[in-house]
Amino acid sequence: MDSKRFEIIYTQGKVEIFKVIRDKQTRVLYMLNHTGVGGDLTVMVDQEGKPLVDEDFKK
């Protein structure tokens, strides 16, 4: 098994950077926003507020 649990699956931007990160164990997706010296990480959710899961990802 790969020892890296999280992987970046999407990146956008140069100054203000957005990344989508997938947890390879749970398949839950997270959004990372980084601007200057600050940043935020949050779980992505569906319309019902449940964690967004990458159903197409195979462990």
Side-chain angles (χ1 to χ4, degrees), residues 4-20:
K4 295 183 181 180
R5 180 172 175 171
F6 299 96
E7 64 182 339
I8 297 169
I9 60 171
Y10 177 80
T11 302
Q12 173 183 309
K14 300 268 188 228
V15 176
E16 184 173 15
I17 301 168
F18 294 92
K19 294 183 180 183
V20 176

Side-chain angles (χ1 to χ4, degrees), residues 20-44:
V20 176
I21 301 167
R22 176 174 45 219
D23 181 332
K24 295 194 301 188
Q25 290 182 10
T26 64
R27 299 178 299 168
V28 172
L29 299 175
Y30 298 87
M31 169 82 62
L32 173 69
N33 171 254
H34 180 48
T35 25
V37 296
D40 294 299
L41 178 69
T42 188
V43 65
M44 297 175 72

Side-chain angles (χ1 to χ4, degrees), residues 35-54:
T35 25
V37 296
D40 294 299
L41 178 69
T42 188
V43 65
M44 297 175 72
V45 297
D46 64 12
Q47 294 88 349
E48 298 174 356
K50 296 177 183 173
L52 194 58
V53 175
D54 187 350

